[in-house]
Amino acid sequence: MPTRRHVLELLAAAPVAAAGGCAGTPPGPDPYAAWRNPGQGDADPRRFVLAHGLLAPNPHNRQPWRVRLEGADALSLSVDRARLLPETDPFGRQIIIGCGAFLELTALAAPRLGLSAEITAWPEGAPGLQLDDRPFARVVLRPDPGAKAGPLFDQIVRRRTEKTPFLEDRPADAAVQAILAAASGPGVKPGETRDPILRDRLVDLCWTGWEIETRTPRTHMESVRLMRIGRAEVARNPDGIALAGGMMEVLARTGVMTREALADPDSTASRSGLDMYRKMIRATPGFFWIRTDSGDRQAQLAAGRAYARAQLAASAQGLALHPWSMALQEFPEMEGPYREVQALLGARPDAPVQMLVRMGATGKPSGPSPRRRLDDLMVA
């Protein structure tokens, strides 16, 4: 029986091995193919921009997007309600943030083809507390002789959500200012801290949020059910939380890393994971957050667009962003940390903090997250 220390050592090695492990995927559709030359060979420019959009960061890697092509130059984007997170995201706020990120990357790709993206958000009106099938955006691609891809475009295939301990180095002022500038926009107020006192308080609140989510059975199991353990599972289901590559394959084959083990908070796998995540949150030299002037669906979409730009700007500056928004989740057990984070960062119920994000640098970039095929997002 592997000891807890042995499992922890294997888990620590797994992300490093997985970073270069895409080539070792099993026969069949490659879950990482979307990251290589997205949209290459597509005659329809809409498919080119969408191929970049689907690389957007999104909660639990659910990729909750549906696309309908309209006419010769338009597309309608809506939420795939089969891909919601009803326990940890009961009102779909985080899902809409992920939709905003998808929309932003789609729009950023258009100038690469000499086009501009004309966006209408919530063209049929926004939903209330529960999401519905109305589109969150309609996009029309227009010829634009002056259009030129900006510097963020090149980072779309390079950006990563780094789920590792960050280096101790304090992010430089110029790099942080570039991230804040990229995220700024109407109704969006980005913020950051590298101050040790506020950083330590946020670390404590983030860790409290992590413990509440993982110790509440229904919210924890929502994540467990979305874990893809081993390369074969990732290839079959290129979404969710990928646990694959390197020693993770050994842990899966030996029966150490299973859903049953991850569901049991007292298992070796769960306790080792707890140690890893505690080290991760403590190794956070800075935090970045996004607050909006309102709490409606329009603001949530804008927050997602701003976060996408922030992450691309961080990548260009040699930094990484890793959302740690458990304490912002709106299920009842999280009410205490939620209120504390909002108050600590100067938010109000009608102007909330939408995202709380670790900010720092890594020694070696990780590999990309798996992605579904573009055709799997299309609807007639």
Side-chain angles (χ1 to χ4, degrees), residues 39 42-53 67-77 102-120 137-145 147 153 305 374 378:
D42 277 324
D44 190 331
R46 293 173 295 183
R47 291 184 62 89
F48 177 86
V49 300
L50 290 166
H52 289 80
V67 180
R68 176 178 287 106
L69 302 183
E70 299 176 347
D73 57 6
L75 47 102
S76 181
L77 310 177
F102 177 84
L103 176 61
E104 185 66 17
L105 265 57
T106 298
L108 285 174
R112 180 66 178 78
L113 300 179
L115 303 169
S116 60
E118 180 184 287
I119 298 170
T120 303
R138 187 171 188 271
V139 181
V140 181
L141 299 181
R142 306 285 193 192
D144 184 351
F153 171 79
R305 297 187 66 182
L374 177 56
M378 309 298 287

Side-chain angles (χ1 to χ4, degrees), residues 226-366:
L226 292 172
M227 291 178 182
R228 315 306 186 200
I229 303 172
R231 291 191 182 103
E233 277 198 13
V234 172
R236 288 194 299 270
N237 298 286
D239 67 345
I241 304 166
L243 304 177
M247 287 299 176
M248 198 64 69
E249 305 300 319
V250 177
L251 296 174
R253 287 197 300 270
T254 56
V256 175
M257 187 61 61
T258 65
R259 284 186 185 79
E260 291 74 19
L262 292 167
D264 178 3
D266 295 321
S267 71
T268 299
S270 291
R271 289 185 175 276
S272 297
L274 182 146
D275 289 341
M276 284 186 61
Y277 272 90
R278 185 185 287 115
K279 290 178 180 178
M280 192 187 305
I281 189 60
R282 287 177 176 172
T284 301
F287 280 96
F288 167 83
W289 59 84
I290 292 176
R291 183 172 62 83
T292 53
D293 287 346
S294 68
D296 58 17
R297 297 296 188 186
Q298 184 79 13
Q300 294 164 13
L301 201 65
R305 297 187 66 182
Y307 178 67
R309 297 192 301 272
Q311 201 178 41
L312 296 177
S315 176
Q317 295 295 322
L319 296 176
L321 299 181
H322 172 208
W324 197 297
S325 293
M326 292 84 158
L328 299 180
Q329 292 171 341
E330 295 137 312
F331 59 92
E333 291 85 348
M334 200 66 77
E335 181 178 359
Y338 180 91
R339 290 180 180 274
E340 288 190 62
V341 170
Q342 298 289 344
L344 188 63
L345 299 182
R348 307 187 310 270
D350 62 333
V353 173
Q354 301 278 6
M355 295 198 72
L356 181 59
V357 184
R358 298 173 62 231
M359 177 175 62
T362 61
K364 181 179 180 180
S366 66

Side-chain angles (χ1 to χ4, degrees), residues 35 52-58 61 65 101 105 152 154-162 307-308 310-316 319-321 323 365-369 371:
W35 294 90
H52 289 80
L54 66 82
L55 303 179
N58 62 99
N61 196 27
W65 313 304
L105 265 57
L152 296 184
D154 291 334
Q155 300 301 322
I156 291 177
V157 296
R158 299 172 185 164
R159 68 111 207 140
R160 301 287 185 265
T161 298
E162 297 289 358
Y307 178 67
Q311 201 178 41
L312 296 177
S315 176
L319 296 176
L321 299 181
S366 66
S369 298
R371 283 296 185 271

